[in-house]
């Protein structure tokens, strides 16, 4: 039985797609030229995204802020509720997005950030052969990512160990004690272990919803998550991220810590 020939126009389009692929164009870049065999027509390209392009500063309110919050959430960031108020919670998500997209973190939303929101990058994968469900901590960019079933579920701004040696005196287990350490977040591959709900008091301070993965080192919420490593070794996260994380990150999940922050 002779193979059925494609109509002339369809055959030309198919040939064009093959030629483009042969010239080194990535498949994603030729998606709009791909033939849908069942329908015999061009597949619909993804809808274009047009950002407001209105300069925003911390404290701004309005529709442009709502657009920003919804777009960030859509991309895997956690800007809080889409309430049209540009506050500290949204700022943490903005910082994370800017860092992933090679933009110097700032509270101001300008042209570079709006353009990146239209055509965003994804975070660098640290464990290419890692399990489909895993957490990754990039010390170089101070970004934490969570993959669930192979899908990128969460991208967050974070602050890791400062690297500055410390000695602190505090009352612990009923008596005054002195604790010293290097304040580092060691690189390596670990697994999530025990956790606590709400505020957990440790000998170096209080941790919100901690999920431990390397001895006494944990992911946890903090009231201060600056743009530089500042913790005793834990991975500090914005409070709203720490609120949501326990429902996404189970026990025994691999945690890959890579990189080095350069001041």
């Amino acid at each position: 039985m002779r193979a059925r020939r494609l109509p002339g126009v369809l055959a030309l389009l198919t040939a064009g797609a093959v030629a483009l692929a042969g010239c080194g164009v990535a498949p994603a870049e030729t998606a709009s030229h791909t033939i849908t065999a069942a329908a015999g027509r061009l597949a619909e390209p993804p809808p274009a995204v047009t950002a407001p392009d209105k300069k925003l500063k911390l404290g701004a309110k309005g529709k442009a802020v709502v657009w920003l919050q919804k777009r960030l959430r859509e991309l895997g960031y956690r800007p809080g509720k889409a309430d049209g108020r540009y506050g500290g919670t949204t700022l943490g998500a903005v910082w994370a997005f800017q860092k992933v997209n090679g933009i110097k973190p700032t509270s101001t939303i300008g042209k570079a950030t709006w353009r990146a929101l239209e055509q965003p990058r994804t975070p660098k994968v640290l464990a290419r052969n890692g399990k489909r469900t895993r957490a990754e901590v990039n010390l170089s960019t101070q970004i934490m990512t969570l993959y669930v079933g192979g899908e990128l579920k969460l991208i967050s701004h974070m602050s890791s160990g400062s690297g500055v040696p410390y000695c602190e005196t505090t009352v612990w287990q009923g008596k005054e004690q002195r604790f010293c350490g290097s304040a580092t977040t060691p690189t390596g591959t670990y697994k999530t272990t025990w956790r606590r709900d709400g505020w957990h008091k440790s000998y170096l301070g209080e941790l919100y919803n901690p999920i431990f993965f390397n001895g006494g080192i944990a992911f946890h919420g903090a009231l201060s998550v600056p743009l530089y490593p500042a913790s005793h070794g834990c991975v500090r996260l914005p409070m709203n991220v720490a609120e949501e994380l326990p429902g996404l990150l189970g026990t025994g999940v691999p945690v890959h810590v890579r990189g080095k922050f350069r001041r």
Side-chain angles (χ1 to χ4, degrees):
M1 182 176 177
R2 295 178 61 188
R4 183 181 175 186
R5 296 182 62 189
L6 289 170
V9 173
L10 186 55
L12 285 172
L13 286 169
T14 304
V18 172
L20 281 169
C23 290
V25 180
E29 295 174 301
T30 61
S32 60
H33 299 280
T34 303
I35 299 300
T36 304
R41 58 182 174 78
L42 289 174
E44 291 294 327
V49 174
T50 303
D53 200 14
K54 177 183 179 182
K55 193 171 186 178
L56 298 178
K57 293 187 176 182
L58 196 61
K61 301 177 183 179
K63 293 182 178 179
V65 178
V66 172
W67 189 98
L68 170 69
Q69 292 167 327
K70 288 183 176 180
R71 180 61 170 162
L72 286 169
R73 183 81 191 194
E74 180 182 84
L75 295 173
Y77 300 87
R78 296 298 187 270
K81 295 180 180 179
D83 58 4
R85 298 173 181 272
Y86 183 14
T89 300
T90 299
L91 177 60
V94 167
W95 280 348
F97 178 81
Q98 290 171 332
K99 288 188 286 186
V100 168
N101 284 271
I103 301 168
K104 184 178 180 180
T106 174
S107 61
T108 300
I109 310 298
K111 289 186 179 297
T113 302
W114 288 126
R115 295 292 79 80
L117 285 162
E118 293 177 344
Q119 296 183 317
R121 300 178 188 174
T122 54
K124 179 182 178 181
V125 176
L126 303 182
R128 295 195 175 278
N129 297 318
K131 290 189 176 181
R132 290 170 60 79
T133 296
R134 66 186 187 278
E136 296 187 350
V137 175
N138 191 327
L139 299 178
S140 301
T141 58
Q142 295 290 286
I143 289 291
M144 178 266 189
T145 52
L146 176 64
Y147 297 85
V148 178
E151 181 182 350
L152 182 56
K153 280 287 186 180
L154 184 149
I155 310 167
S156 178
H157 162 63
M158 52 159 267
S159 177
S160 61
S162 67
V164 179
Y166 66 87
C167 279
E168 295 185 15
T169 301
T170 185
V171 175
W172 180 246
Q173 296 180 339
K175 61 180 181 180
E176 188 176 275
Q177 299 184 53
R178 187 167 177 80
F179 298 95
C180 297
S182 61
T184 60
T185 305
T187 57
T189 297
Y190 312 95
K191 285 187 178 180
T192 55
T193 54
W194 59 289
R195 62 188 64 206
R196 290 289 183 270
D197 294 331
W199 287 102
H200 170 68
K201 183 174 176 56
S202 77
Y203 58 87
L204 291 175
E206 293 195 337
L207 321 176
Y208 183 70
N209 279 358
I211 300 175
F212 293 84
F213 61 85
N214 177 12
I217 294 178
F219 295 113
H220 70 84
L223 298 176
S224 174
V225 189
L227 276 171
Y228 52 86
S231 80
H232 288 99
C234 285
V235 176
R236 292 186 190 177
L237 299 168
M239 292 293 286
N240 67 306
V241 175
E243 188 73 44
E244 186 176 350
L245 191 61
L248 298 172
L249 181 59
T251 300
V253 175
V255 178
H256 303 273
V257 184
R258 305 284 189 271
K260 181 178 181 180
F261 185 79
R262 299 186 184 282
R263 296 181 182 273

PDB file of all heavy atoms in Angstrom, residues 35-47:
ATOM      1  N   ILE A  35       4.318  20.886  13.065  1.00  0.00           N
ATOM      2  CA  ILE A  35       3.057  20.449  12.505  1.00  0.00           C
ATOM      3  C   ILE A  35       2.310  19.581  13.507  1.00  0.00           C
ATOM      4  O   ILE A  35       2.875  18.692  14.133  1.00  0.00           O
ATOM      5  CB  ILE A  35       3.291  19.624  11.224  1.00  0.00           C
ATOM      6  CG1 ILE A  35       4.006  20.479  10.173  1.00  0.00           C
ATOM      7  CG2 ILE A  35       1.977  19.097  10.664  1.00  0.00           C
ATOM      8  CD1 ILE A  35       3.256  21.712   9.768  1.00  0.00           C
ATOM      9  N   THR A  36       1.034  19.817  13.669  1.00  0.00           N
ATOM     10  CA  THR A  36       0.202  18.955  14.467  1.00  0.00           C
ATOM     11  C   THR A  36      -0.354  17.907  13.529  1.00  0.00           C
ATOM     12  O   THR A  36      -1.244  18.180  12.732  1.00  0.00           O
ATOM     13  CB  THR A  36      -0.941  19.757  15.136  1.00  0.00           C
ATOM     14  OG1 THR A  36      -0.370  20.809  15.890  1.00  0.00           O
ATOM     15  CG2 THR A  36      -1.780  18.865  16.045  1.00  0.00           C
ATOM     16  N   ALA A  37       0.184  16.680  13.594  1.00  0.00           N
ATOM     17  CA  ALA A  37      -0.131  15.656  12.615  1.00  0.00           C
ATOM     18  C   ALA A  37      -1.620  15.336  12.562  1.00  0.00           C
ATOM     19  O   ALA A  37      -2.203  15.191  11.501  1.00  0.00           O
ATOM     20  CB  ALA A  37       0.667  14.394  12.926  1.00  0.00           C
ATOM     21  N   ALA A  38      -2.241  15.226  13.753  1.00  0.00           N
ATOM     22  CA  ALA A  38      -3.640  14.839  13.775  1.00  0.00           C
ATOM     23  C   ALA A  38      -4.526  15.881  13.111  1.00  0.00           C
ATOM     24  O   ALA A  38      -5.465  15.560  12.386  1.00  0.00           O
ATOM     25  CB  ALA A  38      -4.091  14.614  15.216  1.00  0.00           C
ATOM     26  N   ALA A  39      -4.218  17.152  13.338  1.00  0.00           N
ATOM     27  CA  ALA A  39      -5.054  18.213  12.789  1.00  0.00           C
ATOM     28  C   ALA A  39      -4.564  18.684  11.433  1.00  0.00           C
ATOM     29  O   ALA A  39      -5.299  19.331  10.689  1.00  0.00           O
ATOM     30  CB  ALA A  39      -5.104  19.393  13.756  1.00  0.00           C
ATOM     31  N   GLY A  40      -3.297  18.374  11.088  1.00  0.00           N
ATOM     32  CA  GLY A  40      -2.758  18.811   9.812  1.00  0.00           C
ATOM     33  C   GLY A  40      -2.588  20.310   9.722  1.00  0.00           C
ATOM     34  O   GLY A  40      -2.804  20.917   8.679  1.00  0.00           O
ATOM     35  N   ARG A  41      -2.234  20.954  10.836  1.00  0.00           N
ATOM     36  CA  ARG A  41      -2.060  22.411  10.827  1.00  0.00           C
ATOM     37  C   ARG A  41      -0.946  22.802  11.789  1.00  0.00           C
ATOM     38  O   ARG A  41      -0.446  21.975  12.540  1.00  0.00           O
ATOM     39  CB  ARG A  41      -3.362  23.105  11.250  1.00  0.00           C
ATOM     40  CG  ARG A  41      -3.845  22.683  12.645  1.00  0.00           C
ATOM     41  CD  ARG A  41      -5.152  23.358  13.008  1.00  0.00           C
ATOM     42  NE  ARG A  41      -5.691  22.870  14.255  1.00  0.00           N
ATOM     43  CZ  ARG A  41      -5.262  23.231  15.457  1.00  0.00           C
ATOM     44  NH1 ARG A  41      -4.264  24.081  15.570  1.00  0.00           N
ATOM     45  NH2 ARG A  41      -5.818  22.732  16.543  1.00  0.00           N
ATOM     46  N   LEU A  42      -0.573  24.061  11.762  1.00  0.00           N
ATOM     47  CA  LEU A  42       0.457  24.554  12.667  1.00  0.00           C
ATOM     48  C   LEU A  42      -0.065  24.568  14.104  1.00  0.00           C
ATOM     49  O   LEU A  42      -1.208  24.949  14.345  1.00  0.00           O
ATOM     50  CB  LEU A  42       0.877  25.976  12.279  1.00  0.00           C
ATOM     51  CG  LEU A  42       1.683  26.126  10.994  1.00  0.00           C
ATOM     52  CD1 LEU A  42       1.890  27.602  10.696  1.00  0.00           C
ATOM     53  CD2 LEU A  42       3.028  25.440  11.133  1.00  0.00           C
ATOM     54  N   ALA A  43       0.789  24.133  15.060  1.00  0.00           N
ATOM     55  CA  ALA A  43       0.410  24.209  16.467  1.00  0.00           C
ATOM     56  C   ALA A  43       0.367  25.665  16.897  1.00  0.00           C
ATOM     57  O   ALA A  43       1.132  26.494  16.402  1.00  0.00           O
ATOM     58  CB  ALA A  43       1.422  23.447  17.316  1.00  0.00           C
ATOM     59  N   GLU A  44      -0.548  25.974  17.836  1.00  0.00           N
ATOM     60  CA  GLU A  44      -0.685  27.348  18.315  1.00  0.00           C
ATOM     61  C   GLU A  44       0.516  27.731  19.170  1.00  0.00           C
ATOM     62  O   GLU A  44       0.877  26.995  20.091  1.00  0.00           O
ATOM     63  CB  GLU A  44      -1.964  27.496  19.134  1.00  0.00           C
ATOM     64  CG  GLU A  44      -3.242  27.381  18.323  1.00  0.00           C
ATOM     65  CD  GLU A  44      -3.408  28.513  17.343  1.00  0.00           C
ATOM     66  OE1 GLU A  44      -2.967  29.637  17.654  1.00  0.00           O
ATOM     67  OE2 GLU A  44      -3.950  28.282  16.251  1.00  0.00           O
ATOM     68  N   PRO A  45       1.168  28.866  18.880  1.00  0.00           N
ATOM     69  CA  PRO A  45       2.285  29.305  19.722  1.00  0.00           C
ATOM     70  C   PRO A  45       1.746  29.771  21.070  1.00  0.00           C
ATOM     71  O   PRO A  45       0.566  30.122  21.179  1.00  0.00           O
ATOM     72  CB  PRO A  45       2.876  30.481  18.932  1.00  0.00           C
ATOM     73  CG  PRO A  45       1.730  31.014  18.138  1.00  0.00           C
ATOM     74  CD  PRO A  45       0.895  29.807  17.786  1.00  0.00           C
ATOM     75  N   PRO A  46       2.565  29.750  22.115  1.00  0.00           N
ATOM     76  CA  PRO A  46       2.092  30.233  23.419  1.00  0.00           C
ATOM     77  C   PRO A  46       1.728  31.707  23.330  1.00  0.00           C
ATOM     78  O   PRO A  46       2.342  32.453  22.562  1.00  0.00           O
ATOM     79  CB  PRO A  46       3.301  30.008  24.340  1.00  0.00           C
ATOM     80  CG  PRO A  46       4.476  29.956  23.423  1.00  0.00           C
ATOM     81  CD  PRO A  46       3.978  29.354  22.151  1.00  0.00           C
ATOM     82  N   PRO A  47       0.711  32.123  24.084  1.00  0.00           N
ATOM     83  CA  PRO A  47       0.308  33.529  24.017  1.00  0.00           C
ATOM     84  C   PRO A  47       1.416  34.463  24.480  1.00  0.00           C
ATOM     85  O   PRO A  47       2.150  34.153  25.412  1.00  0.00           O
ATOM     86  CB  PRO A  47      -0.900  33.587  24.964  1.00  0.00           C
ATOM     87  CG  PRO A  47      -0.713  32.416  25.889  1.00  0.00           C
ATOM     88  CD  PRO A  47      -0.077  31.349  25.056  1.00  0.00           C
TER      89      PRO A  47
END
